[in-house]
Amino acid sequence: MATTTGAVETVDLRKSYGGVPVLDGLTMRVARGSVYALLGPNGAGKTTTVRILATLTAPDGGAARVDGHDVVRDRRRVRRTISLAGQHAALDDQQTGTENLHMMARLAGLAPAAARRRAADLLERFDLVTAGGRQVVTYSGGMRRRLDLAASLVGEPSVIFLDEPTTGLDPRSRQGLWEVVAELAGAGVTVLLTTQYLEEADRLADRIAVLHGGRLAAEGSASELKRRFGAHRLELTLHDAQSFAATAHRLGDRVTHRDETRLELAVATDGAAPEVRRLLDEVDPDRRGIARFTVREATLDDVFLTLTGDPVTARREVANV
């Protein structure tokens, strides 16, 4: 259960590389025992934020605290509190899964017998018992990510950072990792994850921070963000290519989705009947171009499009969801 004390807090956090701001005054707070997602396009500052919180990168300005410890002044205390699973698994391919976990446990200070028990417990928890005796080089992508996450939990951290943990995984492996994240939060671990998968943030996170240009564009639960920034969407299917082109021209930059192959277009609307009728009359005045239409509620995709203000980038980011 989350308490009123933040497990992770940043105030006016700033970082630049080569004079280019990557974080430009980021302020956020992550409640204890919650799952908090940093969502944003490439270059929004997600990974830089995680690196600063994990004490791997020093901020240029502002402040950040993890479990009450300043990430600059109290680096050692922060590192004893956290664990980090990055975008690339930090594993020894030539060792077995068991050997990797045993090595991590010994590095964490556990005695040999305790390290063996911890490795065995984690292999069971992450459904890797049968693969524990195999070299990691033989593991699938999903198995490697599960083992990497298991290794990050050897020291039983109170805060864990997951930097795009499911990138490149097949749907089954992604689902498995989602279950693990939910289990961690249920056990009281604070999870801060970065992701480009909108479905992932919608599914897992208690709170979502949308980063854009190094700033916090919005923060809230998925339902709050949809209500505040999303709109209903009028989805149109046209009769033919000529009708598609004419309708796309009339809508101009209001188009939020375009699929020329399927002859589909979409435009934001408030969902009210008068507004829908007005749009239909506007884009199909002779009532011959539209084959069918649908009005649906906002998704996190729509929120993302609204907040980032970059439809091209946003469509690329959501293409794999």
Side-chain angles (χ1 to χ4, degrees), residues 68-105:
H69 306 303
D70 187 277
V71 299
V72 176
R73 296 193 302 269
D74 303 321
R75 293 175 64 191
R76 290 186 179 180
R77 290 184 178 180
V78 171
R79 290 181 178 184
R80 286 197 292 266
T81 300
I82 68 168
S83 187
L84 168 65
Q87 296 180 22
H88 305 287
L91 302 168
D92 186 338
D93 283 350
Q94 301 310 309
Q95 288 190 327
T96 66
T98 300
E99 289 168 342
N100 267 277
L101 293 181
H102 183 265
M103 176 185 66
M104 293 293 186

Side-chain angles (χ1 to χ4, degrees), residues 136-253:
V136 173
V137 71
T138 68
Y139 283 21
S140 67
M143 292 168 65
R144 288 175 63 89
R145 293 304 286 166
R146 294 207 307 275
L147 182 63
D148 189 43
L149 190 52
S152 71
L153 294 174
V154 162
E156 300 185 272
S158 60
V159 179
I160 183 168
F161 301 115
L162 304 179
D163 193 13
E164 300 190 11
T166 61
T167 297
L169 296 187
D170 61 80
R172 184 182 299 275
S173 297
R174 187 178 300 149
Q175 177 72 33
L177 274 182
W178 287 354
E179 293 172 359
V180 170
V181 171
E183 178 187 332
L184 290 173
V189 178
T190 302
V191 180
L192 188 150
L193 66 90
T194 72
T195 183
Q196 293 183 2
Y197 296 110
L198 304 181
E199 180 188 4
E200 187 161 88
D202 203 350
R203 171 77 174 272
L204 293 177
D206 299 299
R207 307 287 287 179
I208 298 169
V210 182
L211 302 187
H212 185 55
R215 293 177 174 270
L216 185 65
E219 191 268 352
S221 67
S223 59
E224 288 171 349
L225 292 175
K226 292 172 189 177
R227 185 169 59 251
R228 287 163 53 198
F229 298 101
H232 285 71
R233 195 159 83 170
L234 175 62
E235 297 178 339
L236 307 172
T237 301
L238 287 306
H239 277 296
D240 50 42
Q242 184 176 357
S243 299
F244 177 90
T247 304
H249 177 73
R250 290 188 180 104
L251 288 173
D253 60 8

